[in-house]
Coordinates of all heavy atoms in Angstrom, one line a residue:
I114 N -29.0 15.1 20.4 CA -27.9 15.5 19.4 C -27.8 14.4 18.3 O -27.8 13.2 18.6 CB -26.6 15.7 20.1 CG1 -26.6 16.9 21.0 CG2 -25.4 15.7 19.1 CD1 -25.3 17.2 21.7
L115 N -27.7 14.9 17.1 CA -27.3 14.0 16.0 C -26.0 14.6 15.4 O -26.0 15.8 15.0 CB -28.3 14.0 14.9 CG -27.9 13.3 13.6 CD1 -27.6 11.8 13.8 CD2 -29.0 13.4 12.5
Q116 N -24.9 13.8 15.4 CA -23.7 14.3 14.8 C -23.1 13.3 13.8 O -23.1 12.1 14.1 CB -22.6 14.5 16.0 CG -21.3 15.0 15.5 CD -20.4 15.3 16.7 OE1 -20.5 16.3 17.3 NE2 -19.4 14.4 17.0
R117 N -22.7 13.8 12.7 CA -22.0 13.0 11.7 C -20.8 13.6 11.2 O -20.7 14.9 11.1 CB -23.0 12.7 10.5 CG -24.2 11.9 10.8 CD -25.0 11.6 9.5 NE -26.2 10.9 9.9 CZ -27.5 11.3 9.6 NH1 -27.6 12.5 9.0 NH2 -28.5 10.6 9.9
G118 N -19.8 12.8 10.9 CA -18.5 13.4 10.4 C -17.7 12.3 9.7 O -18.1 11.2 9.5
L119 N -16.5 12.7 9.3 CA -15.6 11.8 8.6 C -14.3 11.5 9.4 O -13.7 12.5 9.9 CB -15.2 12.5 7.3 CG -16.2 12.7 6.2 CD1 -15.7 13.6 5.1 CD2 -16.6 11.4 5.6
I120 N -14.0 10.3 9.6 CA -12.8 9.8 10.2 C -11.8 9.5 9.1 O -12.1 8.7 8.2 CB -13.0 8.6 11.2 CG1 -13.9 9.1 12.3 CG2 -11.7 8.1 11.7 CD1 -14.3 7.9 13.3
G121 N -10.6 10.0 9.2 CA -9.5 9.7 8.3 C -8.2 10.1 8.8 O -8.1 10.6 10.0
A122 N -7.2 10.0 8.0 CA -5.8 10.4 8.4 C -5.6 11.8 7.8 O -5.5 12.0 6.6 CB -4.8 9.4 7.9
L123 N -5.4 12.8 8.7 CA -5.3 14.2 8.3 C -3.8 14.5 8.2 O -3.0 14.3 9.1 CB -5.9 15.1 9.3 CG -6.0 16.6 8.9 CD1 -6.9 16.8 7.7 CD2 -6.4 17.4 10.1
R124 N -3.4 15.2 7.0 CA -2.1 15.6 6.9 C -1.7 16.7 7.9 O -2.5 17.6 8.2 CB -1.9 16.3 5.5 CG -0.5 16.8 5.2 CD -0.4 17.3 3.8 NE -1.1 18.5 3.6 CZ -0.7 19.8 3.9 NH1 0.6 19.9 4.3 NH2 -1.4 20.8 3.7
L125 N -0.6 16.5 8.6 CA -0.2 17.4 9.6 C 0.4 18.7 9.0 O 1.2 18.6 8.1 CB 0.9 16.7 10.5 CG 0.5 15.4 11.1 CD1 1.6 14.9 12.0 CD2 -0.8 15.5 11.9
T126 N 0.0 19.8 9.6 CA 0.5 21.1 9.1 C 1.0 21.9 10.2 O 0.3 21.9 11.3 CB -0.6 21.8 8.3 OG1 -1.8 21.9 9.1 CG2 -1.0 21.1 7.0
P127 N 2.0 22.7 10.0 CA 2.4 23.6 11.1 C 1.4 24.7 11.3 O 0.6 25.1 10.4 CB 3.7 24.2 10.6 CG 3.7 24.1 9.1 CD 2.9 22.8 8.8
R128 N 1.4 25.3 12.5 CA 0.4 26.3 12.8 C 0.4 27.5 11.9 O -0.7 28.0 11.6 CB 0.6 26.7 14.3 CG -0.4 27.7 14.8 CD -0.2 27.9 16.3 NE -1.2 28.9 16.8 CZ -1.4 29.1 18.1 NH1 -0.7 28.4 19.0 NH2 -2.3 30.0 18.5
E129 N 1.5 27.9 11.4 CA 1.6 29.1 10.6 C 0.9 28.9 9.3 O 0.6 29.9 8.6 CB 3.1 29.5 10.4 CG 4.0 28.4 9.8 CD 4.7 27.6 11.0 OE1 4.2 27.6 12.1 OE2 5.7 27.0 10.7
E130 N 0.6 27.7 8.8 CA -0.1 27.5 7.6 C -1.6 27.9 7.7 O -2.3 28.1 6.7 CB 0.0 26.1 7.1 CG 1.3 25.7 6.4 CD 1.3 24.4 5.7 OE1 0.2 23.9 5.4 OE2 2.4 23.9 5.5
G131 N -2.1 27.9 9.0 CA -3.5 28.3 9.2 C -4.5 27.2 8.8 O -5.7 27.6 8.7
V132 N -4.1 26.0 8.5 CA -5.0 24.9 8.1 C -5.7 24.3 9.3 O -6.9 24.1 9.3 CB -4.2 23.9 7.3 CG1 -5.2 22.7 6.9 CG2 -3.6 24.4 6.1
V133 N -5.0 24.1 10.4 CA -5.5 23.6 11.6 C -5.3 24.7 12.7 O -4.2 25.2 12.9 CB -4.8 22.3 12.1 CG1 -5.3 21.9 13.4 CG2 -5.1 21.2 11.0
L134 N -6.4 25.1 13.3 CA -6.4 26.2 14.3 C -6.6 25.7 15.7 O -7.6 25.2 16.1 CB -7.5 27.2 14.0 CG -7.6 27.8 12.6 CD1 -8.9 28.6 12.4 CD2 -6.4 28.6 12.3
P135 N -5.5 25.7 16.5 CA -5.6 25.4 18.0 C -6.3 26.5 18.7 O -6.2 27.7 18.3 CB -4.2 25.1 18.4 CG -3.4 26.0 17.5 CD -4.1 26.0 16.2
H136 N -6.9 26.3 19.8 CA -7.4 27.4 20.6 C -7.1 27.3 22.1 O -7.5 28.1 22.9 CB -9.0 27.4 20.5 CG -9.7 26.3 21.1 ND1 -10.0 25.1 20.5 CD2 -10.2 26.2 22.4 CE1 -10.7 24.4 21.3 NE2 -10.8 25.0 22.5
E137 N -6.3 26.2 22.4 CA -5.9 26.1 23.8 C -4.4 25.8 23.9 O -3.8 25.2 23.0 CB -6.6 25.0 24.5 CG -8.1 25.3 24.8 CD -8.8 24.1 25.6 OE1 -8.1 23.1 25.8 OE2 -9.9 24.3 25.9
D138 N -3.8 26.2 25.0 CA -2.4 25.8 25.3 C -2.4 24.4 25.8 O -3.4 23.8 26.1 CB -1.8 26.7 26.4 CG -1.7 28.2 26.0 OD1 -1.4 28.4 24.8 OD2 -1.8 29.1 26.8
V139 N -1.2 23.8 25.7 CA -1.0 22.4 26.2 C -0.1 22.3 27.3 O 0.7 23.2 27.6 CB -0.6 21.5 25.0 CG1 -1.6 21.5 23.9 CG2 0.8 21.9 24.5
M140 N -0.1 21.2 28.1 CA 0.8 20.9 29.2 C 1.9 20.0 28.7 O 1.6 18.9 28.3 CB 0.0 20.4 30.4 CG -1.0 21.4 31.0 SD -2.0 20.7 32.3 CE -3.4 20.2 31.4
P141 N 3.1 20.4 28.8 CA 4.2 19.6 28.2 C 4.3 18.1 28.8 O 4.6 17.2 28.0 CB 5.5 20.3 28.6 CG 5.0 21.7 28.8 CD 3.6 21.7 29.3
H142 N 4.0 17.9 30.0 CA 4.1 16.6 30.6 C 3.0 15.6 30.0 O 3.3 14.4 29.8 CB 4.0 16.6 32.1 CG 2.6 16.8 32.6 ND1 2.0 18.1 32.7 CD2 1.6 16.0 33.0 CE1 0.8 18.0 33.2 NE2 0.5 16.8 33.4
I143 N 1.9 16.1 29.6 CA 0.9 15.3 28.9 C 1.3 15.0 27.5 O 1.2 13.8 27.1 CB -0.5 16.0 28.9 CG1 -1.0 16.2 30.3 CG2 -1.5 15.2 28.1 CD1 -2.3 16.8 30.4
V144 N 1.9 15.9 26.8 CA 2.4 15.7 25.4 C 3.5 14.6 25.5 O 3.5 13.7 24.7 CB 2.9 17.0 24.8 CG1 3.5 16.7 23.4 CG2 1.7 18.0 24.6
E145 N 4.4 14.7 26.5 CA 5.4 13.8 26.6 C 4.9 12.4 26.8 O 5.4 11.4 26.2 CB 6.3 14.2 27.8 CG 7.4 13.2 28.2 CD 8.4 13.0 27.0 OE1 8.7 13.9 26.3 OE2 8.9 11.8 26.9
D146 N 3.9 12.2 27.7 CA 3.3 10.9 28.0 C 2.6 10.3 26.8 O 2.8 9.2 26.4 CB 2.3 11.0 29.1 CG 1.6 9.7 29.4 OD1 2.3 8.8 30.0 OD2 0.4 9.5 29.1
R147 N 1.8 11.2 26.1 CA 1.1 10.7 24.9 C 2.1 10.3 23.8 O 1.9 9.4 23.0 CB 0.1 11.7 24.4 CG -1.1 12.0 25.3 CD -2.0 10.8 25.4 NE -1.8 10.0 26.6 CZ -2.5 8.9 26.9 NH1 -3.3 8.4 26.1 NH2 -2.2 8.3 28.1

Side-chain angles (χ1 to χ4, degrees):
I114 288 180
L115 171 64
Q116 178 173 286
R117 295 186 181 120
L119 292 167
I120 295 177
L123 184 69
R124 181 178 67 90
L125 306 183
T126 55
R128 181 169 180 168
E129 53 268 21
E130 284 192 20
V132 176
V133 173
L134 304 174
H136 70 269
E137 289 183 356
D138 295 329
V139 298
M140 292 175 269
H142 73 279
I143 295 180
V144 175
E145 174 62 35
D146 178 75
R147 292 294 101 181

